[in-house]
Amino acid sequence: MMQKRLALYGIYGLIALFVFIAPRFFQLLTDWYWFGEIGFSNIFTTILFTKILLGLGVGALTFFIIYGNLWLARRLVAPKPLIVRLQNGLQEIDLERYISKFSLAVSLFFGFLTGLFGASKWETVLKYFNAVPFNTVDPIFGRDIGFYFFDLPFIQFLVGFGFWLIIVSFIGAFLSYVVRGAITIKSLSTPLEALSSFGRAAAAKGGLSLTGWMEKPAKVHLSILVAFLFVLTSFKIYAIKIPSLLYSSTGPFTGASFTDINAVLPFLKILIFVAIIAAVLTVINIFKTNNRLLILAVSIYAVTSILGGSVYPFFLQRFVVLPNELVKETPYIEYNIAATRKAFALDQVQERDLTGEATLTISDINNNRSTIKNVRLWDREPLLDTFGQLQEIRTYYDFISIDNDRYNLNGDYRQVLLSPRELDSASLPQRTFINERLTFTHGFGLTLSPVNEVTPEGLPVLFLKDLPPSSSIDSLRVSRPEIYYGELVNDWVVVNTQAQEFNYPSGDKNVFANYEGRGGVEIKSIFRKALFALKFRSLKILLSNDITEESRIMYYRNIEERVKRVLPFLSLDGDPYIVVTKEGDLKWIYDAYTTSDRYPYAERMRDMFDSLSNRQTSLPGKSLNYIRNSVKVVINAYDGRMVFYIADEDDPIIKTYAKIFEDSFLPLEQMDDDLKAHIRYPEDLFVYQTTLYTVYHMGEAQIFYNREDQWQIPVITSDARADPMMRHMIMKLPGEAKEEFILMIPFTPRGKDNLSAWMVARNDGEFYGQLVVYRFPKQKLVFGPKQITNRINQDTDISQQISLWDQRGSEVIRGSLLVIPIEESLIYVQPIYLRAEGGRIPELKRVIVAYENRIAMEKTLDLALERVFGGQVAVDEKATTAVLGKQAISQDLIKQARDYFDRAMSAQRRGDWALYGVEIRKLGEIFESVR
């Protein structure tokens, strides 16, 4: 009867195993098809085979060791009957007969669990066997930094695995001996009473009482396991605990401190030998009639650990280090500064001093006209609202983000803001299977606008707009506007079906088209249809006559998920952006990072963010102390093809991954020049670096320790949101010959509002990736963003005008305050938007310019600059002709129109309405003459 039950349980177990494995098998198979379609089967097979080999190897080793110890425990002592009477009292069962089967089941169970754990360590194992050295050594032990990134995690895995095997084997063998009566506790006479007393003793005393007796074979077996435990502990101290001192946080910084090196480290070295001695005493204890040597071994190890790990370091820190902390910790602070700078590439920052004596004039403004004409007057949020109202066209389209980029437009280097028009299937009016999966499959086109051009109505000028996309710039064309892969899409679709595939709306009609690319997995057979029906839990895939063998199914279309499935070992930036190539294709560029928390002595960033920054990144919440923008990912929005370019060839981590996954990464030199002209320095990386640099620009240990020159990143709070002042812009850096696209952020002294410095990340050509800090002299007062904001708020004319708009029911939106470096000085620019009551389209109404003590608010940036600096701003003919439809207009006519306008505005302020009317009429005549 019992055997039948066991057989039935076995059948149930097999069914449960099939239910557990089958869905994962189908998932693997569809993933295999997907990896084959995108051309990265080698990554899939390398990870899969490594997991299988590790899982089988670790699981089998665990099974044999645990089962071997249980088998040995059974063979070393004579079996004793273990009789259990059933409730009816008429039948007795000898449990001894089933113990061997129970031991097998337990061993298999632990082998399976440990195998899963082992499989999860595939990355650790592969990196260990393919490690690339850093060629930089730590300052204490002289080991290559690569040891801490690649070797130490592998050793921790092996040691942890060893402890698990020994502890589980010890517990299993001990319980086996107790069940068989080879170990008795106190005066208990039967094995069952011993078993029941185990729980009571543990609950009452916090452990198992060892008073009683133990048969010799049991003592030998368990003592050997304990000896192995001490030996492994000795190895752990040597190979793990001592190197891990370089991650200590006992001092005022990350890394081994004076106390760690002079107190903890010597005791750890002593503890290595103490553990070996304890192992020897444990073995000798086998030949003794009592367990005094075992107790002595444990006691010696425990006392040494407490004295060396807690007591002595406490007194040394308290009475020697703290009274002289700066003197004692100086060399270790220097190690921390050097390591942190190296780990975050801050050792490559170029520092340049500004005189702070230059006074800007209208001539300087005109000499930096390319900077002025690229001042970003449109913020992302107002522009996103405007795009949504003017260019979504249909309710199922959506603009979800605004991207910053630069283009050469008809020979003019321009900064632009652009947003792809993606399909939101949740907004379809009829959400049916055919509509969601077969007909409405993709977004279409994008909208692109220069950062500083405005229509007379206060709306952005659109260089790219409408459906199908039309361009007002000859050098900017979109020939493949379909977006099958993007930030918003996350559903699977099927293309090349019998159903009509919607392409874009044209008036009251729709335009349909067939997919012409290679994206998606081919259906090919009824088997694949059934497989995908199981994967997506949709029987309609199998039953639909519209889906044929020539159809292609697209899944994992969200670009973040897409990249993470291929490169799960990399972290991704939070702002992918789309690029229009010269051929008219749309391609996404995604920045990926190698990160770690294993750089010795380098500061961990989670604590730094908590104390220094209000900014958020998309990177994992774990503490990081090493980061590189190692990979640029390019994704075709039409067919989903991905190319991975190594952006940092000096990064040993990405070089290690390139060894593991051969032919998966290309050097950045192989990227098309067209795409290379659009790569940007990633914002998340810049956030980490600038946050750290507020402290780690201080290179001297004493200044660093006292935080004498600590900076902060100014944050302006407006409209209930915090603005950390980080900006993309085109400008000519001091001392450089031409304008370039940069990412810039200012610094102020901690606790003060005046400006100390500003940092830029360069983005163009051979200078890509360079970090430069421009420092103002400390004796020079340069107004910071908060001070300028306060001065704007206190300006009577500006506050009256804003209050007047508010009283009329309109919503005033104050744009981001822009810090614009010009020569060796700065100007501040802030756009003002107006949104009508109940309206959704913000209009740019005014521009505020501030320089030193001068502030002006005018309808255009040029007028505000002229009020602040006097004189006349040079008119950029290319920008003017772009707004006025490319019609040639003479400079004299432009100057005449400006004079009429200025005289009209002056007459308006004086209340001379007659003169105002005359000048406006003359201005109108000029406009009529150029129509």
Side-chain angles (χ1 to χ4, degrees):
M1 185 67 179
M2 180 63 71
Q3 292 178 346
K4 290 182 179 180
R5 288 186 178 180
L6 290 176
L8 189 61
Y9 292 152
I11 293 173
Y12 290 157
L14 288 175
I15 294 174
L17 189 63
F18 175 78
V19 172
F20 176 78
I21 291 178
R24 284 153 181 79
F25 173 75
F26 296 147
Q27 176 73 33
L28 280 176
L29 192 55
T30 54
D31 282 353
W32 163 252
Y33 292 150
W34 183 77
F35 272 89
E37 176 252 321
I38 62 175
F40 290 103
S41 299
N42 62 320
I43 294 180
F44 179 83
T45 54
T46 300
I47 295 176
L48 179 62
F49 290 157
T50 304
K51 285 182 175 181
I52 291 174
L53 291 176
L54 269 178
L56 291 176
V58 170
L61 184 60
T62 301
F63 167 76
F64 284 118
I65 290 179
I66 293 176
Y67 186 72
N69 278 279
L70 295 177
W71 177 85
L72 190 62
R74 193 172 73 252
R75 294 297 297 268
L76 288 177
V77 296
K80 297 179 182 180
L82 196 59
I83 306 299
V84 174
R85 286 188 177 89
L86 297 182
Q87 291 182 350
N88 55 21
L90 300 177
Q91 187 177 1
E92 294 181 348
I93 297 176
D94 185 1
L95 294 181
E96 176 63 32
R97 295 168 52 192
Y98 300 102
I99 286 181
S100 61
K101 295 180 181 178
F102 180 74
S103 299
L104 179 63
V106 168
S107 301
L108 286 172
F109 175 73
F110 281 108
F112 177 73
L113 288 183
T114 311
L116 291 178
F117 168 75
S120 69
K121 295 297 179 180
W122 64 269
E123 187 178 350
T124 299
V125 174
L126 286 176
K127 287 197 294 186
Y128 172 76
F129 286 105
N130 295 276
V132 174
F134 276 65
N135 296 322
T136 301
V137 298
D138 76 80
I140 301 298
F141 305 115
R143 290 189 174 103
D144 186 271
I145 300 299
F147 167 83
Y148 299 92
F149 280 71
F150 309 123
D151 297 17
L152 187 57
F154 182 72
I155 295 171
Q156 289 174 322
F157 163 58
L158 293 181
V159 170
F161 178 50
F163 271 107
W164 168 254
L165 292 180
I166 294 174
I167 291 171
V168 173
S169 297
F170 179 89
I171 294 174
F174 179 84
L175 292 176
S176 180
Y177 286 128
V178 171
V179 169
R180 286 180 168 81
I183 297 177
T184 60
I185 302 172
K186 292 187 177 180
S187 59
L188 302 173
S189 57
T190 67
L192 286 178
E193 289 177 343
L195 273 176
S196 64
S197 71
F198 177 85
R200 293 196 299 269
K205 300 183 178 181
L208 177 64
S209 172
L210 294 180
T211 60
W213 63 272
M214 180 185 302
E215 291 185 10
K216 187 70 173 180
K219 182 176 181 179
V220 173
H221 185 189
L222 296 178
S223 296
I224 291 175
L225 289 176
V226 173
F228 277 129
L229 201 62
F230 277 121
V231 171
L232 190 58
T233 300
S234 176
F235 178 75
K236 179 181 179 181
I237 296 169
Y238 168 76
I240 297 177
K241 284 193 172 183
I242 288 179
S244 296
L245 283 177
L246 303 192
Y247 306 126
S248 171
S249 57
T250 57
F253 51 86
T254 297
S257 63
F258 179 90
T259 300
D260 292 318
I261 299 302
N262 294 279
V264 178
L265 179 59
F267 268 93
L268 285 177
K269 292 179 178 179
I270 294 171
L271 206 57
I272 293 173
F273 298 99
V274 171
I276 295 295
I277 293 171
V280 173
L281 290 176
T282 302
V283 174
I284 296 175
N285 184 71
I286 294 173
F287 306 100
K288 301 295 182 180
T289 57
N290 54 43
N291 294 320
R292 291 178 182 174
L293 288 181
L294 176 61
I295 295 172
L296 178 63
V298 174
S299 300
I300 291 175
Y301 182 82
V303 170
T304 307
S305 298
I306 294 171
L307 287 176
S310 300
V311 177
Y312 180 61
F314 171 78
F315 282 102
L316 185 68
Q317 181 73 21
R318 184 71 177 272
F319 299 106
V320 177
V321 176
L322 288 181
N324 308 280
E325 189 170 43
L326 178 58
V327 175
K328 298 294 184 183
E329 301 289 11
T330 290
Y332 309 106
I333 292 175
E334 291 172 348
Y335 296 154
N336 173 262
I337 294 173
T340 303
R341 287 182 170 183
K342 186 78 174 177
F344 290 90
L346 296 176
D347 59 327
Q348 301 173 21
V349 173
Q350 302 176 23
E351 295 187 356
R352 300 178 184 176
D353 292 327
L354 301 174
T355 62
E357 302 298 330
T359 299
L360 289 182
T361 64
I362 195 66
S363 176
D364 296 317
I365 299 298
N366 290 330
N367 290 337
N368 289 270
R369 188 58 193 165
S370 184
T371 299
I372 297 301
K373 74 179 180 183
N374 283 290
V375 171
R376 197 187 80 194
L377 298 181
W378 285 102
D379 280 0
R380 292 186 179 187
E381 289 79 8
L383 189 62
L384 191 62
D385 291 341
T386 303
F387 280 179
Q389 292 300 308
L390 299 180
Q391 284 292 305
E392 279 184 5
I393 299 176
R394 295 287 175 89
T395 58
Y396 41 77
Y397 287 129
D398 198 3
F399 296 101
I400 64 170
S401 65
I402 297 289
D403 296 322
N404 254 302
D405 206 351
R406 71 283 196 198
Y407 287 79
N408 270 303
L409 303 178
N410 295 339
D412 198 14
Y413 196 48
R414 301 296 300 273
Q415 183 178 352
V416 299
L417 297 168
L418 65 159
S419 183
R421 185 185 292 104
E422 297 200 51
L423 180 74
D424 182 6
S425 59
S427 299
L428 289 173
Q430 293 292 329
R431 298 190 62 186
T432 63
F433 172 79
I434 292 179
N435 277 350
E436 286 192 70
R437 307 301 182 186
L438 310 183
T439 301
F440 293 90
T441 58
H442 57 273
F444 201 86
L446 74 161
T447 300
L448 183 147
S449 170
V451 295
N452 70 324
E453 292 192 22
V454 187
T455 68
E457 295 80 17
L459 300 176
V461 173
L462 302 180
F463 285 171
L464 271 176
K465 60 182 179 179
D466 298 338
L467 294 174
S470 63
S471 173
S472 60
I473 303 295
D474 295 335
S475 60
L476 189 66
R477 290 286 184 268
V478 179
S479 59
R480 181 58 77 183
E482 296 89 349
I483 302 174
Y484 285 87
Y485 301 87
E487 293 183 89
L488 182 60
V489 293
N490 201 28
D491 295 328
W492 57 272
V493 296
V494 186
V495 297
N496 291 346
T497 65
Q498 298 296 325
Q500 285 187 309
E501 185 180 350
F502 172 79
N503 203 28
Y504 63 89
S506 179
D508 295 332
K509 299 180 180 180
N510 291 332
V511 177
F512 297 90
N514 289 324
Y515 182 70
E516 299 174 354
R518 300 174 299 161
V521 177
E522 292 181 279
I523 298 294
K524 285 187 176 180
S525 65
I526 189 67
F527 170 74
R528 286 196 178 187
K529 285 186 73 173
L531 186 64
F532 288 119
L534 286 172
K535 174 180 175 62
F536 297 113
R537 299 178 182 179
S538 176
L539 191 60
K540 294 176 181 178
I541 295 178
L542 184 62
L543 300 179
S544 175
N545 294 325
D546 291 324
I547 300 176
T548 67
E549 293 183 358
E550 289 74 30
S551 300
R552 309 178 77 95
I553 184 167
M554 297 178 175
Y555 48 103
Y556 305 147
R557 297 196 299 145
N558 179 274
I559 57 174
E560 179 180 2
E561 180 186 16
R562 196 170 182 83
V563 176
K564 283 184 176 179
R565 284 193 172 271
V566 185
L567 306 177
F569 39 83
L570 298 183
S571 301
L572 300 180
D573 192 79
D575 187 26
Y577 54 100
I578 202 163
V579 171
V580 182
T581 68
K582 289 182 178 178
E583 293 76 21
D585 296 330
L586 300 181
K587 294 186 178 181
W588 296 94
I589 297 182
Y590 216 149
D591 287 291
Y593 306 98
T594 49
T595 61
S596 178
D597 61 350
R598 292 185 170 274
Y599 202 102
Y601 266 109
E603 195 65 43
R604 284 188 167 89
M605 278 303 299
R606 168 171 273 182
D607 296 335
M608 292 290 292
F609 266 148
D610 291 342
S611 60
L612 296 178
S613 177
N614 293 318
R615 294 174 291 167
Q616 299 294 323
T617 73
S618 63
L619 297 182
K622 65 181 182 180
S623 295
L624 304 178
N625 69 355
Y626 177 89
I627 183 172
R628 289 293 186 273
N629 175 215
S630 51
V631 175
K632 302 283 186 183
V633 182
V634 176
I635 310 160
N636 192 305
Y638 185 66
D639 61 24
R641 298 288 167 175
M642 293 182 286
V643 185
F644 307 133
Y645 297 97
I646 296 180
D648 189 344
E649 294 184 351
D650 296 327
D651 175 29
I653 299 182
I654 197 59
K655 290 164 74 174
T656 298
Y657 286 126
K659 283 182 63 179
I660 296 171
F661 307 107
E662 294 182 357
D663 303 323
S664 297
F665 299 91
L666 300 177
L668 192 61
E669 289 75 20
Q670 294 189 24
M671 180 183 285
D672 293 339
D673 291 338
D674 181 25
L675 282 176
K676 199 180 295 183
H678 293 280
I679 62 174
R680 302 184 324 200
Y681 198 82
E683 291 186 15
D684 283 352
L685 176 60
F686 199 57
V687 167
Y688 278 103
Q689 291 175 317
T690 52
T691 300
L692 273 169
Y693 200 74
T694 59
V695 175
Y696 282 87
H697 70 278
M698 298 177 284
E700 295 184 18
Q702 181 175 354
I703 297 175
F704 179 90
Y705 176 81
N706 293 321
R707 298 292 199 265
E708 296 177 22
D709 191 26
Q710 184 172 336
W711 295 344
Q712 66 184 12
I713 296 166
V715 176
I716 303 297
T717 302
S718 62
D719 298 328
R721 60 185 176 89
D723 182 7
M725 306 296 296
M726 187 166 63
R727 306 281 186 262
H728 283 99
M729 65 180 70
I730 289 178
M731 64 165 289
K732 184 169 67 176
L733 293 172
E736 300 296 333
K738 65 177 183 178
E739 289 77 9
E740 57 188 283
F741 189 62
I742 57 101
L743 181 60
M744 179 264 193
I745 200 165
F747 297 111
T748 62
R750 186 164 180 81
K752 296 183 180 180
D753 294 331
N754 58 291
L755 215 60
S756 295
W758 46 280
M759 177 185 279
V760 300
R762 305 176 74 176
N763 289 267
D764 289 349
E766 61 181 310
F767 301 113
Y768 172 81
Q770 284 188 7
L771 299 179
V772 186
V773 170
Y774 295 89
R775 306 170 66 124
F776 292 106
K778 293 183 179 180
Q779 67 273 15
K780 173 72 174 180
L781 176 63
V782 179
F783 288 130
K786 287 187 178 179
Q787 293 170 320
I788 293 296
T789 300
N790 292 334
R791 293 183 65 84
I792 291 174
N793 293 336
Q794 294 167 3
D795 186 276
T796 306
D797 294 337
I798 295 175
S799 60
Q800 284 180 351
Q801 182 62 67
I802 291 177
S803 298
L804 181 61
W805 282 327
D806 281 332
Q807 291 172 3
R808 293 177 178 175
S810 299
E811 178 188 2
V812 178
I813 303 172
R814 301 185 65 164
S816 299
L817 183 66
L818 307 174
V819 184
I820 312 295
I822 302 289
E823 301 296 340
E824 292 197 1
S825 190
L826 298 167
I827 65 172
Y828 289 88
V829 176
Q830 185 176 40
I832 302 294
Y833 311 96
L834 200 62
R835 181 155 45 197
E837 184 176 6
R840 299 185 61 184
I841 302 179
E843 298 175 3
L844 179 63
K845 286 300 181 184
R846 294 290 186 273
V847 179
I848 300 174
V849 172
Y851 172 67
E852 294 184 344
N853 292 315
R854 289 168 269 173
I855 297 175
M857 182 175 75
E858 293 292 340
K859 290 184 177 182
T860 68
L861 175 62
D862 286 352
L863 289 175
L865 288 170
E866 290 177 356
R867 274 194 58 192
V868 169
F869 294 100
Q872 185 173 349
V873 173
V875 178
D876 184 73
E877 187 172 354
K878 290 182 180 179
T880 303
T881 57
V883 177
L884 298 180
K886 302 181 182 179
Q887 184 178 3
I889 303 173
S890 69
Q891 291 296 320
D892 290 340
L893 198 61
I894 293 172
K895 183 178 184 303
Q896 188 178 358
R898 187 180 296 279
D899 290 341
Y900 288 146
F901 177 80
D902 289 345
R903 286 196 290 270
M905 291 300 100
S906 178
Q908 182 189 46
R909 285 191 289 270
R910 295 194 308 270
D912 189 348
W913 298 107
L915 179 60
Y916 173 80
V918 171
E919 299 297 337
I920 288 296
R921 185 174 63 256
K922 292 179 180 179
L923 183 61
E925 292 172 355
I926 290 179
F927 286 153
E928 287 294 328
S929 68
V930 299
R931 290 183 62 181

